[in-house]
Amino acid sequence: MPTTIASNQTVFKTIADNSDFYWPHYRDPETELTSSDLEAFEHDVHRLACEWFKHDAHDDVEAFISWCPLYHLDFSPHDAHPSWHAKTKPAVPMIRALMVMELHDWEHETALIGYLANHPDLVDALGFETTPDQSTIWRARHERFSDELLRSIEECVTSLCLLATENGVSVPVSNSSSLKTDLPPLEESDDGPTQREILRRADELTAEAQRRIFPAFSLDHTEQASIPEDAFWELQTYLGLGENLCANEGARSFLTESTRKQTPLGHNHRHHIRQFSIESIREMYHEAMQRLLAETTSRSHFLGAASVAIDTTEGSPFTGDRTGHEDEILETKEDNNEYAYQWASIQTVGRGPRIMLDARPVRRGDTLVEIVTDLLDSAEDLIQIERVLMDREFDSQHVLERIVERGYEYLVPKRKQTSEKAVASRMEKHGVETAINERMLHLGKNEWHQTHLLYLPKREFSGQIEEGHERYVVFMSSEPVTGTVEGRVSFYSDRWEIEIGYKHVKRFMAKTTSKDFVLRFFYFAFACLLYSLWRLIDHLVQVFFTDTYGDDPWVTMHDVLTSLKKRTGIG
């Protein structure tokens, strides 16, 4: 999904809705920074990147560098070339070009100039009118910009690569490798495990997990079949490890690289998968998760009651003929006349490892109550659920009632209707920052659902106040608030983890142009399984060495994929 004006606006809206964020940073009243301070430059880039890479449409670091607003900053104290001189290239495009150079870890200007020559769209996106020559780039690095600014550029790019990697966005190999070895837990130290010990343990756990999950998947296969079932799952794993690999291309590469005597061809692989039903795929996924979680529980005592997030996601826009598939290829959430396959899932968030507990397709006519009930039915068989987090898409009293009936808490943002707008307007008029109201939501047939409406100001609001309510957001909570409104609403930030999970999952999906609904769903479900495997392996590695765990991964996705690749017979 390409970057759009709407997706970029979403980033700024997220920042504006968070009262803890100041953008630009030099406007923070608690700092004494100005627009010419490099700390402000580094902070603004970092803050935007934190939110930008969480969006499904944002999967390119160069696109962020080209888009990231910098013209509000004053670089003149660090620029030896006067801006009024006719031959002086504007500072911002030059800084962005040096960020691209740093991103690719190029030591010489020649590499950058050649790259720009082959990517004229990037030249325009960076802000240049024409491609700069090599001497211009050399002077920018050695004569024009101060050493302090060049160091800030390096800091910004390092931050971008870390944030991109955390959100499942690929970075150039040189930077990816350096990031992996630069992660603090992986450095050799007298106070903890060495990188070699960590990777060895991850490899052992991956081997054990793979032996457990593959038997959960079963083909309608005769005993006399010449190709063993494991070869099909190894091929599917191989497709997920590649970059946009389709079954035919991936099967040919797998045949060449695998040590197996016989491997499935692409058409054979797709044929067997198409014999599944949606229900059988979900049953196999559920069994695989049971096996993984049983193994995890036997090795970790941290899998207690957990918060879960429920959400839907879309595949890449479908541009072909939808005839006969209108109930499966649906309108996208954004009002842009695009269509896509859509999936719903439930993931653990907050404490403990982030696991996609279950996934299901979304068809036309599926109600929110059906989707939420279905996913909770599956998830509560795997873990103990404490709280359910969802976005405004699930603002439905019937959905909330179903959650409470099961004994779970919920926290969901509410669309402001007339009554909520009136309350927020009175709060604005009287200078009230937060408020809590009890509300009875009508379910029908004289039945009601009781909820608590939490009002609080948006963070960093900079819009126009016309009706009086615009500065406030409203959340619905199943439980009375015993502390502050801000404290209760802070739990909602955990919901972003399912968005991050989707970005990783989509990297594991094999490529296809098929309209076969079963095939499409299997690719998504198997990618969810690979993502969950990575998160569980990282959790167990941390627990093994420290008897605790943290949010920052010790084992990268690249580490687990490398181990999986070895075990498909091609390592």
Side-chain angles (χ1 to χ4, degrees), residues 267-405:
H267 72 276
N268 189 26
H269 182 70
R270 292 194 305 273
H271 168 76
H272 281 286
I273 292 175
R274 288 184 180 123
Q275 306 314 305
F276 291 138
S277 65
I278 297 296
E279 292 71 24
S280 65
I281 294 172
R282 295 189 65 196
E283 288 171 2
M284 291 186 292
Y285 186 93
H286 189 74
E287 182 180 346
M289 291 308 304
Q290 285 179 318
R291 291 167 177 258
L292 279 177
L293 288 171
E295 182 68 19
T296 304
T297 303
S298 69
R299 300 169 184 265
S300 170
H301 56 276
F302 291 104
L303 295 183
S307 293
V308 296
I310 296 176
D311 205 353
T312 61
T313 189
E314 302 164 351
S316 300
F318 185 86
T319 56
D321 183 6
R322 295 171 56 239
T323 303
H325 301 270
E326 293 88 349
D327 291 341
E328 301 166 353
I329 308 173
L330 308 178
E331 297 88 347
T332 57
K333 297 178 184 179
E334 296 186 20
D335 186 17
N336 53 13
N337 294 319
E338 290 186 343
Y339 297 86
Y341 289 91
Q342 299 183 21
W343 325 110
S345 67
I346 182 169
Q347 176 183 320
T348 54
V349 296
R351 300 190 301 270
R354 282 59 160 164
I355 313 161
M356 287 290 183
L357 298 168
D358 194 17
R360 55 160 287 162
V362 178
R363 298 181 178 90
R364 187 179 306 282
D366 290 346
T367 68
L368 293 176
V369 172
E370 291 170 346
I371 291 172
V372 171
T373 301
D374 186 21
L375 292 173
L376 287 175
D377 281 342
S378 175
E380 64 188 13
D381 185 49
L382 299 171
I383 65 165
Q384 181 182 348
I385 298 173
E386 179 180 41
R387 180 181 296 110
V388 181
L389 305 174
M390 302 176 292
D391 66 11
R392 283 186 180 86
E393 177 186 358
F394 296 88
D395 171 8
S396 162
Q397 56 263 45
H398 298 282
V399 170
L400 303 181
E401 179 69 13
R402 192 61 58 89
I403 293 172
V404 171
E405 286 175 351

Side-chain angles (χ1 to χ4, degrees), residues 47-323:
R47 171 46 54 205
L48 281 178
C50 283
E51 305 304 327
W52 198 85
F53 286 114
K54 292 177 182 177
H55 198 289
D56 280 345
H58 300 159
D59 56 4
D60 187 335
V61 181
E62 285 183 3
F64 174 85
I65 292 173
S66 302
W67 164 79
C68 182
L70 298 177
Y71 286 100
H72 63 286
L73 297 168
D74 177 16
F75 294 103
S76 59
H78 313 281
D79 187 351
H81 288 194
S83 59
W84 50 263
H85 197 282
K87 293 186 178 181
T88 298
K89 292 280 187 182
V92 168
M94 290 300 302
I95 290 171
R96 288 173 174 166
L98 294 185
M99 291 176 74
V100 171
M101 188 172 178
E102 181 67 27
L103 172 67
H104 290 275
D105 199 24
W106 291 323
E107 295 184 2
H108 198 272
E109 296 80 17
T110 305
L112 175 62
I113 297 304
Y115 189 73
L116 293 178
N118 292 325
H119 297 82
D121 290 344
L122 179 60
V123 175
D124 182 65
L126 293 174
F128 291 111
E129 294 182 359
T130 59
T131 304
D133 56 35
Q134 181 175 334
S135 61
T136 301
I137 300 296
W138 186 91
R139 285 194 297 270
R141 298 178 66 201
H142 298 281
E143 297 177 355
R144 178 174 178 179
F145 293 141
S146 67
D147 291 341
E148 291 77 11
L149 176 55
L150 296 177
R151 280 194 293 269
S152 285
I153 290 172
E154 292 178 9
E155 291 293 330
C156 286
V157 173
T158 298
S159 175
L160 291 182
C161 291
L162 285 169
L163 292 170
T165 302
E166 289 173 4
N167 287 279
V169 175
S170 60
V171 299
V173 174
S174 57
N175 257 312
S176 177
S177 302
S178 64
L179 286 173
K180 183 165 73 100
T181 56
D182 286 345
L183 286 173
L186 297 182
E187 292 177 353
E188 299 197 5
S189 168
D190 294 337
D191 299 325
T194 64
Q195 179 183 353
R196 186 180 299 277
E197 291 169 337
I198 289 173
L199 296 181
R200 183 185 301 116
R201 183 58 181 165
D203 193 57
E204 293 168 353
L205 290 169
T206 302
E208 179 63 27
Q210 193 168 355
R211 284 193 294 269
R212 288 182 175 273
I213 62 176
F214 276 6
F217 290 82
S218 178
L219 296 170
D220 185 12
H221 224 43
T222 64
E223 292 184 3
Q224 290 77 28
S226 59
I227 304 176
E229 285 194 8
D230 276 3
F232 287 85
W233 315 133
E234 289 173 4
L235 172 57
Q236 189 64 40
T237 302
Y238 181 79
L239 296 178
L241 305 186
E243 192 73 29
N244 292 321
L245 273 181
C246 62
N248 285 344
E249 177 188 359
R252 288 194 297 270
S253 299
F254 186 60
L255 174 64
T256 303
E257 300 182 34
S258 175
T259 57
R260 283 187 177 273
K261 293 182 179 179
Q262 285 188 291
T263 61
L265 297 178
H267 72 276
N268 189 26
H269 182 70
R270 292 194 305 273
H271 168 76
H272 281 286
I273 292 175
R274 288 184 180 123
Q275 306 314 305
F276 291 138
S277 65
I278 297 296
E279 292 71 24
S280 65
I281 294 172
R282 295 189 65 196
E283 288 171 2
M284 291 186 292
Y285 186 93
H286 189 74
E287 182 180 346
M289 291 308 304
Q290 285 179 318
R291 291 167 177 258
L292 279 177
L293 288 171
E295 182 68 19
T296 304
T297 303
S298 69
R299 300 169 184 265
S300 170
H301 56 276
F302 291 104
L303 295 183
S307 293
V308 296
I310 296 176
D311 205 353
T312 61
T313 189
E314 302 164 351
S316 300
F318 185 86
T319 56
D321 183 6
R322 295 171 56 239
T323 303

